[in-house]
Amino acid sequence: MRSFSNSCRLIATAILLPAALLLARDVDTKFHNAPASAQARKNPYEGQDAAAQAGKRLYARNCLSCHGKVGKGTGNVPSLVDGKLDSVTPGEVFWFVTKGDKDNGMPSWAALPEKQRWQIVTYVKSMGTSQNSQEASAPAPPDMSTSKLKAPPPTPPFTDFRYEKPGTVRKITVHDLPQPYATQSADNGPKLVERPDNAWPVAPAGFKVELYAAGLDNPRTTRTAPNGDIFLAESDPGRIRVFRGLTSDGKPEQSAIFVSGLKRPYGLAFYPPGPDPQWLYVGSEREVVRFPYHGGDLKASGTAEHVADLPGPSGHWTRAVAFSQDGKRMFVAVGSGSNVDDPDTNPREKNRADILVCDPANCQLSVYAYGIRNAGGGIAVNPQTSELWCSVNERDGLGDNLVPDYITHVQEGGFYGWPWWYMGGHQDPRHKGKHPELKDKAIVPDVLLQPHNASLEFAFYEGQQFPAEYTGDIFASQHGSWNKAVRVGYEVIRVPLHQTGHASGEYEDFLTGFVLPDGNVWGRPVGVTVAPDGSLLVSDDGSNSIWRVSYGGK
């Protein structure tokens, strides 16, 4: 096992922006290595309301589909507000908008007139400090989905949302992978809309889907406490919510705020494992903290205790947390700061794109496995085999059908390829000739998923309600693509483990229907947990809801 401080870092980001403007400046480096001349350059339109309003319209056409109306990003697309650009000068933003960063999904906007680029900068720098931060009246960006839906059917084993159907079994192998750049790299971020009255998640025959909770704010990770309470991280408002009980119509009997005032909490884990935990651990972008917890607590009985500092900021911000079954190890997943930046030459990638580990009694982080672009969306320990598993967002920019996301058990000390290799000995052409000694070390994951799916949280099914063949299987959320011409993901999948605890490469669509026929998106699954009665709870940060999937028989 390599030490945390000396580890050879890799990178990742799972849904890094296309029309994305920027990543926040790393504390140790310049903003995307902007030259001094860019830092010193002044915005000739600074403070001009007319320029900001013009920039708002340009932002809506060019950037909104990825960064959202108020600049908070979508999924793992970085936020442009919340202080992310406070230390970045207008000249640096202008330079980056002009130059772009193709490898990280940021196009060059040099074709726009200089005045328009400065107007975008003026608007972006004003976001979060004025009425511009409110839900916008800016015109919606052109809807390109209609023409894309005329695309021919995908070639199996690859698919898109039009063909996702509960019960459909899929299997992708390394032999199915196309050459890089077989298709152009798409810029097709989700256009989020309100859920129509006739839209509802669809599950296999015999299952029922109910709305468990609504009106939430950025619901992300869900965890079931040993006493049966359901914990939820609402990341943007910085709080953790608790639900208790179940009414006859499938809704919680009680809801409470366990703790608030946090900075984008995501990972949740109870410690020690077992029926009587004493702590709730919370992973956020820069640290892991813990709160005192005893079964039945609806509110934290003490303040946060710092456990460990984590690498950051910028890029992937989610930090999943899990414990080994014996309680002797804490695992933390840290995604890359970019799409495919070379850690050899980019300091911000130090100690990133890894799963880290420490002894909870004295947390000194070291690297458990590396070359994992972003497992920050989900890690968990298999209760049957005690193995650590992860859900990974792989890289973008190589075409519609590269590189597959994946779910896999994690080998200690294992190298999973990023950024130089992928899916075993396939070299990323953006790093041609680099690190040949790692080619044969790159591990092929257990289950290859659709490229750009944005696989996030998952749970092993230990309930008694579903049919027996589901016991021990994985249910995983797929947050949805931006880098594919026709959308894919936006569903929950099932990974059969065949009552052995081991996968054989297949997965199947389980909960679909979050994309409308016109390609617009109303729901994006994130968290998955098994409720005490054996039903499945799925958080959805598209509709700000939690869905409950129960089984009633065929």
Side-chain angles (χ1 to χ4, degrees):
M1 185 185 304
R2 302 176 306 160
S3 71
F4 180 78
S5 58
N6 294 326
S7 57
C8 167
R9 249 61 227 84
L10 314 170
I11 328 168
T13 12
I15 304 187
L16 243 152
L17 8 165
L21 286 191
L22 0 148
L23 300 175
R25 171 181 358 214
D26 190 276
V27 293
D28 298 320
T29 61
K30 296 177 182 178
F31 178 72
H32 292 279
N33 297 312
S37 58
Q39 297 174 45
R41 193 170 183 182
K42 303 298 182 183
N43 180 1
Y45 302 97
E46 188 167 1
Q48 297 183 19
D49 184 64
Q53 291 303 313
K56 187 177 184 178
R57 291 188 290 272
L58 291 163
Y59 175 92
R61 289 199 296 269
N62 300 306
C63 317
L64 183 149
S65 64
C66 288
H67 284 286
K69 288 184 179 180
V70 295
K72 285 185 174 291
T74 56
N76 286 331
V77 173
S79 172
L80 303 178
V81 294
D82 302 323
K84 293 294 186 182
L85 299 180
D86 286 354
S87 61
V88 181
T89 69
E92 289 174 297
V93 179
F94 180 85
W95 174 85
F96 187 60
V97 167
T98 302
K99 175 179 175 289
D101 187 353
K102 181 180 178 182
D103 286 347
N104 285 312
M106 170 65 188
S108 165
W109 296 103
L112 287 178
E114 180 175 327
K115 179 178 180 180
Q116 291 186 0
R117 280 174 276 151
W118 277 120
Q119 288 170 335
I120 291 175
V121 172
T122 304
Y123 173 64
V124 168
K125 289 293 287 182
S126 72
M127 296 177 83
T129 62
S130 69
Q131 290 301 313
N132 287 324
S133 66
Q134 303 302 314
E135 283 295 329
S137 58
D143 182 4
M144 303 301 292
S145 59
T146 301
S147 61
K148 290 172 183 173
L149 295 181
K150 296 177 182 177
T155 302
F158 304 105
T159 192
D160 61 55
F161 82 93
R162 299 172 297 173
Y163 300 91
E164 292 171 352
K165 182 179 179 181
T168 302
V169 177
R170 308 183 187 280
K171 185 174 183 178
I172 300 172
T173 73
V174 293
H175 303 294
D176 299 313
L177 302 183
Q179 291 297 310
Y181 308 118
T183 63
Q184 290 186 340
S185 180
D187 176 0
N188 185 27
K191 181 181 177 183
L192 286 171
V193 298
E194 293 292 327
R195 179 178 62 83
D197 291 341
N198 62 349
W200 204 259
V202 181
F207 289 87
K208 180 172 70 171
V209 183
E210 299 170 289
L211 184 60
Y212 175 80
L216 303 170
D217 189 349
N218 195 224
R220 304 286 281 178
T221 298
T222 54
R223 285 289 179 271
T224 302
N227 76 326
D229 289 344
I230 306 299
F231 279 65
L232 169 72
E234 291 181 287
S235 295
D236 281 354
R239 63 180 176 238
I240 297 170
R241 188 183 291 272
V242 187
F243 298 102
R244 175 171 292 172
L246 190 68
T247 65
S248 59
D249 58 350
K251 292 180 169 49
E253 294 176 334
Q254 191 174 358
S255 174
I257 302 299
F258 182 77
V259 67
S260 60
L262 306 179
K263 189 171 183 180
R264 299 187 91 183
Y266 185 84
L268 301 176
F270 294 96
Y271 182 82
D276 188 27
Q278 304 298 303
W279 303 93
L280 174 66
Y281 280 65
V282 180
S284 58
E285 184 175 26
R286 297 307 302 271
E287 66 175 343
V288 176
V289 299
R290 67 180 188 176
F291 294 91
Y293 172 78
H294 300 92
D297 285 355
L298 292 174
K299 185 176 179 61
S301 59
T303 58
E305 292 187 11
H306 178 76
V307 175
D309 292 316
L310 299 176
S314 81
H316 295 108
W317 61 269
T318 55
R319 304 288 185 258
V321 181
F323 290 96
S324 60
Q325 287 183 311
D326 61 8
K328 294 181 179 180
R329 284 177 157 185
M330 180 180 76
F331 303 101
V332 185
V334 177
S336 67
S338 67
N339 184 32
V340 288
D341 284 353
D342 191 336
D344 293 343
T345 55
N346 288 270
R348 72 173 176 172
E349 295 299 345
K350 182 179 180 180
N351 297 321
R352 302 193 64 164
D354 293 330
I355 295 176
L356 307 176
V357 65
C358 75
D359 178 353
N362 179 27
C363 188
Q364 304 294 319
L365 289 167
S366 59
V367 176
Y368 184 80
Y370 66 114
I372 302 173
R373 182 176 175 263
N374 183 28
I379 58 175
V381 172
N382 186 330
Q384 183 174 353
T385 65
S386 300
E387 293 172 323
L388 180 69
W389 285 64
C390 68
S391 164
V392 177
N393 295 175
E394 252 292 351
R395 71 205 78 184
D396 299 309
L398 295 181
D400 277 353
N401 296 322
L402 285 178
V403 171
D405 284 4
Y406 60 87
I407 292 173
T408 190
H409 83 285
V410 184
Q411 298 182 33
E412 185 169 359
F415 171 61
Y416 288 82
W418 186 91
W420 306 288
W421 304 90
Y422 61 88
M423 304 295 121
H426 295 80
Q427 184 151 55
D428 191 310
R430 293 163 293 195
H431 296 295
K432 187 176 181 180
K434 295 182 179 179
H435 289 287
E437 77 283 2
L438 293 177
K439 177 179 180 179
D440 294 336
K441 293 183 179 180
I443 297 169
V444 177
D446 295 335
V447 184
L448 309 191
L449 308 177
Q450 299 298 316
H452 317 298
N453 251 20
S455 189
L456 294 181
E457 284 285 341
F458 64 96
F460 295 93
Y461 188 77
E462 296 184 275
Q464 302 298 315
Q465 185 186 117
F466 288 10
E469 61 264 29
Y470 287 81
T471 301
D473 289 352
I474 290 172
F475 288 94
S477 64
Q478 309 298 294
H479 202 226
S481 66
W482 71 262
N483 192 221
K484 185 161 182 168
V486 181
R487 308 193 196 291
V488 71
Y490 305 94
E491 64 170 338
V492 175
I493 63 171
R494 171 196 176 199
V495 178
L497 298 188
H498 316 290
Q499 284 74 55
T500 66
H502 302 291
S504 53
E506 300 91 355
Y507 78 91
E508 69 179 55
D509 303 330
F510 180 76
L511 190 68
T512 66
F514 295 95
V515 183
L516 300 175
D518 63 3
N520 289 334
V521 175
W522 64 262
R524 306 191 74 181
V526 181
V528 181
T529 195
V530 181
D533 68 346
S535 60
L536 200 69
L537 298 178
V538 178
S539 68
D540 163 12
D541 71 356
S543 67
N544 285 318
S545 307
I546 297 177
W547 301 94
R548 177 175 179 264
V549 184
S550 59
Y551 184 74
K554 296 182 179 180

